[in-house]
Amino acid sequence: MYARTGFITAVYKINRSLTRLKPTSISPSTRPLIWKHLYSTAASNSDVNRVHVAVNDDRVSRISSSIRVIQDFPKPGIMFHDITTMLLDPVAFKHTIDLFVERYKEKNISVVAGIEARGFIFGPPIALAIGAKFVPMRKPNKLPGAVISEEYSLEYGTDIMEMHVGAVQAGERALIIDDLIATGGTLAAAIKLLERVGANIVECACAVELRDLKGQDRLGDKPLFVLVSST
Protein backbone atom coordinates (compact mmCIF):
# COMPACT_ATOMS: atom_id res chain seq x y z
CA MET A 1 0.00 0.00 0.00
CA TYR A 2 2.96 2.25 -0.24
CA ALA A 3 4.45 4.30 -3.07
CA ARG A 4 6.19 7.46 -4.03
CA THR A 5 3.91 10.27 -5.06
CA GLY A 6 3.00 10.33 -8.73
CA PHE A 7 0.17 10.23 -11.21
CA ILE A 8 -2.21 7.31 -10.96
CA THR A 9 -3.31 5.60 -14.14
CA ALA A 10 -6.29 3.41 -14.76
CA VAL A 11 -5.01 0.11 -16.06
CA TYR A 12 -6.00 -3.41 -16.86
CA LYS A 13 -2.96 -5.64 -16.85
CA ILE A 14 -2.36 -9.25 -17.85
CA ASN A 15 1.23 -10.50 -17.34
CA ARG A 16 3.95 -7.94 -17.98
CA SER A 17 3.49 -6.05 -21.24
CA LEU A 18 1.44 -2.85 -21.52
CA THR A 19 0.74 -0.72 -24.58
CA ARG A 20 -0.24 2.88 -23.81
CA LEU A 21 -3.17 4.69 -25.34
CA LYS A 22 -3.75 8.43 -25.33
CA PRO A 23 -5.04 9.75 -21.99
CA THR A 24 -8.71 10.49 -21.67
CA SER A 25 -9.60 14.15 -21.49
CA ILE A 26 -9.95 14.87 -17.77
CA SER A 27 -9.08 18.28 -16.48
CA PRO A 28 -6.48 18.34 -13.68
CA SER A 29 -8.43 21.17 -12.11
CA THR A 30 -11.43 18.92 -11.57
CA ARG A 31 -9.55 15.83 -10.36
CA PRO A 32 -6.65 15.48 -7.90
CA LEU A 33 -5.09 12.83 -10.13
CA ILE A 34 -4.86 12.27 -13.89
CA TRP A 35 -6.03 8.96 -15.37
CA LYS A 36 -4.88 7.19 -18.49
CA HIS A 37 -6.52 4.16 -20.05
CA LEU A 38 -4.25 1.41 -21.29
CA TYR A 39 -4.34 -1.64 -23.48
CA SER A 40 -4.04 -4.97 -21.73
CA THR A 41 -1.67 -7.53 -23.17
CA ALA A 42 -1.16 -11.22 -22.52
CA ALA A 43 2.13 -13.02 -23.07
CA SER A 44 2.30 -16.68 -24.04
CA ASN A 45 5.86 -17.97 -24.57
CA SER A 46 7.22 -15.78 -27.36
CA ASP A 47 3.81 -14.66 -28.60
CA VAL A 48 2.15 -11.50 -27.34
CA ASN A 49 -1.61 -11.26 -27.85
CA ARG A 50 -3.14 -7.85 -27.33
CA VAL A 51 -6.49 -8.00 -25.59
CA HIS A 52 -8.80 -4.99 -25.45
CA VAL A 53 -10.30 -4.84 -21.97
CA ALA A 54 -12.90 -2.08 -21.47
CA VAL A 55 -10.28 0.48 -22.42
CA ASN A 56 -12.63 3.44 -22.21
CA ASP A 57 -14.82 2.08 -19.44
CA ASP A 58 -16.06 4.98 -17.32
CA ARG A 59 -16.29 2.63 -14.34
CA VAL A 60 -12.51 2.61 -14.02
CA SER A 61 -12.33 6.38 -13.70
CA ARG A 62 -14.97 6.28 -10.96
CA ILE A 63 -12.96 3.65 -9.09
CA SER A 64 -9.70 5.55 -9.53
CA SER A 65 -11.06 8.84 -8.28
CA SER A 66 -12.54 7.20 -5.18
CA ILE A 67 -9.15 5.99 -3.86
CA ARG A 68 -7.31 8.54 -1.73
CA VAL A 69 -3.59 8.79 -0.99
CA ILE A 70 -2.48 9.73 2.52
CA GLN A 71 1.02 11.12 3.08
CA ASP A 72 3.35 9.82 5.78
CA PHE A 73 1.22 6.89 6.91
CA PRO A 74 1.95 4.61 8.68
CA LYS A 75 5.37 6.28 8.86
CA PRO A 76 7.14 9.30 7.31
CA GLY A 77 7.87 8.99 3.61
CA ILE A 78 5.09 6.50 2.93
CA MET A 79 2.21 7.28 0.59
CA PHE A 80 -0.72 5.14 1.78
CA HIS A 81 -3.31 4.19 -0.83
CA ASP A 82 -6.59 4.01 1.04
CA ILE A 83 -9.39 1.96 -0.52
CA THR A 84 -11.78 2.65 2.37
CA THR A 85 -12.90 5.82 0.60
CA MET A 86 -13.90 3.65 -2.35
CA LEU A 87 -16.08 1.60 0.01
CA LEU A 88 -17.87 4.82 0.97
CA ASP A 89 -18.93 5.14 -2.68
CA PRO A 90 -21.40 2.29 -3.38
CA VAL A 91 -21.21 2.93 -7.12
CA ALA A 92 -17.39 2.70 -7.22
CA PHE A 93 -17.40 -0.38 -4.99
CA LYS A 94 -19.99 -2.11 -7.18
CA HIS A 95 -18.01 -1.22 -10.30
CA THR A 96 -14.93 -2.84 -8.76
CA ILE A 97 -16.72 -6.09 -7.97
CA ASP A 98 -18.50 -6.12 -11.33
CA LEU A 99 -15.27 -5.71 -13.29
CA PHE A 100 -13.64 -8.61 -11.48
CA VAL A 101 -16.72 -10.80 -11.85
CA GLU A 102 -16.96 -10.06 -15.56
CA ARG A 103 -13.36 -11.14 -15.97
CA TYR A 104 -13.53 -14.39 -13.98
CA LYS A 105 -17.08 -15.73 -14.36
CA GLU A 106 -16.18 -17.93 -17.34
CA LYS A 107 -12.76 -19.14 -16.14
CA ASN A 108 -13.94 -22.21 -14.21
CA ILE A 109 -12.48 -20.95 -10.93
CA SER A 110 -13.41 -22.99 -7.86
CA VAL A 111 -11.39 -21.10 -5.22
CA VAL A 112 -11.17 -17.40 -4.47
CA ALA A 113 -8.36 -16.95 -1.95
CA GLY A 114 -8.56 -13.61 -0.14
CA ILE A 115 -5.54 -12.13 1.63
CA GLU A 116 -6.08 -10.61 5.08
CA ALA A 117 -7.47 -8.14 5.59
CA ARG A 118 -8.72 -6.17 2.60
CA GLY A 119 -8.80 -9.22 0.38
CA PHE A 120 -11.70 -10.25 2.60
CA ILE A 121 -13.64 -7.23 1.33
CA PHE A 122 -13.38 -8.10 -2.36
CA GLY A 123 -13.09 -11.88 -2.24
CA PRO A 124 -16.47 -13.06 -0.87
CA PRO A 125 -18.73 -11.10 -3.27
CA ILE A 126 -16.58 -12.20 -6.22
CA ALA A 127 -16.68 -15.83 -5.05
CA LEU A 128 -20.45 -15.78 -4.65
CA ALA A 129 -20.97 -14.22 -8.06
CA ILE A 130 -18.81 -16.75 -9.92
CA GLY A 131 -19.91 -19.80 -7.93
CA ALA A 132 -16.61 -20.42 -6.13
CA LYS A 133 -15.72 -20.98 -2.50
CA PHE A 134 -13.91 -18.30 -0.51
CA VAL A 135 -10.74 -19.27 1.34
CA PRO A 136 -9.24 -16.77 3.82
CA MET A 137 -5.44 -16.43 3.88
CA ARG A 138 -4.81 -15.20 7.40
CA LYS A 139 -2.16 -13.86 9.73
CA PRO A 140 -0.70 -16.23 12.38
CA ASN A 141 -2.91 -17.68 15.11
CA LYS A 142 -6.17 -16.46 13.58
CA LEU A 143 -7.45 -19.75 12.15
CA PRO A 144 -8.74 -22.32 14.67
CA GLY A 145 -7.95 -25.52 12.76
CA ALA A 146 -4.77 -27.15 11.49
CA VAL A 147 -2.90 -24.78 9.16
CA ILE A 148 -0.02 -24.60 6.73
CA SER A 149 2.18 -21.50 6.93
CA GLU A 150 4.42 -19.40 4.73
CA GLU A 151 6.76 -16.61 5.86
CA TYR A 152 7.14 -13.61 3.58
CA SER A 153 8.71 -10.16 3.49
CA LEU A 154 6.85 -6.85 3.62
CA GLU A 155 7.86 -3.29 2.83
CA TYR A 156 8.59 -2.88 6.54
CA GLY A 157 9.55 -6.35 7.85
CA THR A 158 8.34 -9.95 7.69
CA ASP A 159 5.09 -11.74 8.42
CA ILE A 160 3.51 -15.19 8.18
CA MET A 161 0.47 -16.24 6.18
CA GLU A 162 -1.65 -19.26 7.08
CA MET A 163 -4.39 -21.30 5.43
CA HIS A 164 -6.53 -24.12 6.79
CA VAL A 165 -5.43 -27.61 5.89
CA GLY A 166 -8.04 -29.13 3.58
CA ALA A 167 -9.55 -25.83 2.47
CA VAL A 168 -8.17 -26.27 -1.04
CA GLN A 169 -7.80 -29.55 -2.92
CA ALA A 170 -5.18 -30.56 -5.45
CA GLY A 171 -6.18 -29.59 -8.98
CA GLU A 172 -8.54 -26.78 -8.01
CA ARG A 173 -8.34 -23.57 -10.01
CA ALA A 174 -7.65 -20.60 -7.75
CA LEU A 175 -7.88 -16.83 -7.99
CA ILE A 176 -5.90 -14.83 -5.43
CA ILE A 177 -7.41 -11.45 -4.52
CA ASP A 178 -6.07 -8.52 -2.52
CA ASP A 179 -6.68 -4.80 -2.49
CA LEU A 180 -3.16 -3.81 -3.53
CA ILE A 181 0.18 -5.14 -4.74
CA ALA A 182 3.31 -3.29 -3.61
CA THR A 183 6.52 -5.37 -3.34
CA GLY A 184 4.58 -8.57 -4.08
CA GLY A 185 5.63 -10.50 -0.99
CA THR A 186 2.09 -11.17 0.22
CA LEU A 187 0.84 -12.46 -3.13
CA ALA A 188 3.99 -14.55 -3.55
CA ALA A 189 3.34 -16.21 -0.17
CA ALA A 190 -0.26 -16.94 -1.14
CA ILE A 191 0.90 -18.50 -4.40
CA LYS A 192 3.34 -20.75 -2.53
CA LEU A 193 0.69 -21.86 -0.03
CA LEU A 194 -1.81 -22.76 -2.72
CA GLU A 195 0.77 -24.53 -4.88
CA ARG A 196 1.92 -26.57 -1.90
CA VAL A 197 -1.51 -28.20 -1.79
CA GLY A 198 -1.58 -28.70 -5.56
CA ALA A 199 -3.85 -25.84 -6.64
CA ASN A 200 -3.53 -24.24 -10.06
CA ILE A 201 -3.21 -20.45 -9.89
CA VAL A 202 -5.35 -18.88 -12.59
CA GLU A 203 -4.43 -15.29 -11.78
CA CYS A 204 -3.70 -12.78 -9.05
CA ALA A 205 -6.01 -9.76 -8.94
CA CYS A 206 -5.74 -6.43 -7.12
CA ALA A 207 -7.62 -3.17 -7.22
CA VAL A 208 -4.37 -1.16 -7.04
CA GLU A 209 -0.79 -1.75 -8.18
CA LEU A 210 2.19 0.33 -7.05
CA ARG A 211 4.06 -0.16 -10.31
CA ASP A 212 7.43 1.33 -9.34
CA LEU A 213 7.88 -1.25 -6.57
CA LYS A 214 7.86 -4.02 -9.22
CA GLY A 215 5.88 -6.44 -7.10
CA GLN A 216 4.90 -8.51 -10.11
CA ASP A 217 8.54 -9.59 -10.48
CA ARG A 218 8.04 -11.74 -7.37
CA LEU A 219 5.06 -13.58 -8.84
CA GLY A 220 7.13 -15.65 -11.25
CA ASP A 221 5.08 -16.65 -14.27
CA LYS A 222 1.74 -16.02 -12.55
CA PRO A 223 -0.38 -13.38 -14.30
CA LEU A 224 -1.57 -10.25 -12.53
CA PHE A 225 -4.72 -8.26 -13.22
CA VAL A 226 -5.18 -4.78 -11.74
CA LEU A 227 -7.65 -1.95 -12.11
CA VAL A 228 -5.56 1.03 -11.02
CA SER A 229 -1.78 1.43 -11.32
CA SER A 230 0.18 4.11 -9.46
CA THR A 231 3.74 5.24 -10.15
Side-chain angles (χ1 to χ4, degrees):
M1 331 214 133
Y2 314 107
R4 299 194 304 273
T5 184
F7 293 129
I8 292 182
T9 58
V11 55
Y12 288 95
K13 183 177 179 184
I14 309 168
N15 283 339
R16 300 180 187 280
S17 181
L18 290 174
T19 303
R20 291 186 179 276
L21 297 181
K22 292 181 180 179
T24 55
S25 178
I26 300 176
S27 170
S29 64
T30 58
R31 291 190 186 278
L33 301 165
I34 296 176
W35 315 109
K36 297 178 182 178
H37 293 293
L38 305 179
Y39 271 111
S40 172
T41 59
S44 175
N45 297 326
S46 61
D47 296 326
V48 176
N49 302 311
R50 288 188 174 85
V51 181
H52 294 270
V53 187
V55 175
N56 293 311
D57 196 320
D58 289 338
R59 293 178 296 179
V60 177
S61 294
R62 179 68 176 256
I63 294 165
S64 301
S65 60
S66 71
I67 299 170
R68 68 177 172 181
V69 179
I70 300 175
Q71 270 190 312
D72 298 325
F73 182 84
K75 60 183 181 181
I78 298 298
M79 303 293 289
F80 187 89
H81 289 65
D82 182 18
I83 59 95
T84 64
T85 47
M86 182 235 289
L87 304 179
L88 299 176
D89 181 347
V91 174
F93 186 26
K94 184 177 187 300
H95 287 341
T96 301
I97 300 302
D98 287 348
L99 286 166
F100 284 130
V101 169
E102 289 165 15
R103 175 161 180 78
Y104 297 115
K105 63 183 179 181
E106 304 296 338
K107 292 188 179 292
N108 195 30
I109 291 169
S110 57
V111 175
V112 175
I115 295 175
E116 188 171 352
R118 284 164 290 276
F120 296 178
I121 295 171
F122 300 107
I126 294 169
L128 285 173
I130 67 175
K133 61 186 174 184
F134 176 74
V135 175
M137 314 289 277
R138 300 218 62 183
K139 294 178 180 179
N141 305 313
K142 298 293 186 180
L143 294 170
V147 299
I148 57 173
S149 304
E150 186 73 32
E151 185 173 359
Y152 63 99
S153 60
L154 297 166
E155 300 86 348
Y156 45 83
T158 61
D159 209 339
I160 295 174
M161 181 180 298
E162 295 184 339
M163 177 179 72
H164 267 142
V165 172
V168 179
Q169 306 303 314
E172 287 198 276
R173 289 170 56 81
L175 166 68
I176 303 173
I177 186 80
D178 202 358
D179 69 320
L180 180 146
I181 176 171
T183 61
T186 309
L187 285 175
I191 289 169
K192 290 178 182 178
L193 275 181
L194 289 165
E195 289 190 329
R196 281 167 58 186
V197 299
N200 298 316
I201 311 302
V202 175
E203 200 158 74
C204 299
C206 297
V208 181
E209 175 198 31
L210 304 186
R211 189 171 64 250
D212 285 355
L213 297 183
K214 300 181 179 179
Q216 192 180 8
D217 291 348
R218 299 185 65 177
L219 306 186
D221 61 352
K222 300 301 182 290
L224 172 68
F225 179 74
V226 300
L227 300 181
V228 176
S229 185
S230 174
T231 57

